[in-house]
Amino acid sequence: MSAWRTSGTTPLDRLKSQYDRNLRCGECGYVDEEGEWQARMTGDRVDYRHLCPSCGAVEHRTLKLR
């Protein structure tokens, strides 16, 4: 295993791990210590979503694959 690999086995796993490190809500500022981003792959897109447990705001990130 590479010394540079911090978590995950694929680039998409590692990207999700990066997102999971930043769970501060952009609307209310709440930090979701136990939450995580949900990922869904559809065709040539990966959609990441996080729901704030405090105010219900939903943050989205979309990655388009080529």
Side-chain angles (χ1 to χ4, degrees):
M1 177 148 82
S2 170
W4 295 101
R5 185 168 293 172
T6 58
S7 64
T9 57
T10 69
L12 294 175
D13 289 337
R14 291 190 295 274
L15 179 60
K16 183 182 175 302
S17 292
Q18 283 290 106
Y19 287 156
D20 286 343
R21 290 183 198 150
N22 181 15
L23 293 171
R24 179 179 305 275
C25 177
E27 292 292 319
C28 71
Y30 178 80
V31 177
D32 186 2
E33 297 287 338
E34 300 190 19
E36 66 178 348
W37 285 78
Q38 300 300 314
R40 183 178 62 170
M41 188 166 191
T42 54
D44 64 346
R45 293 175 20 161
V46 181
D47 295 309
Y48 294 91
R49 175 180 169 271
H50 179 257
L51 174 67
C52 176
S54 178
C55 72
V58 178
E59 292 199 42
H60 295 274
R61 304 276 195 291
T62 299
L63 179 66
K64 292 184 181 182
L65 306 174
R66 293 183 193 207

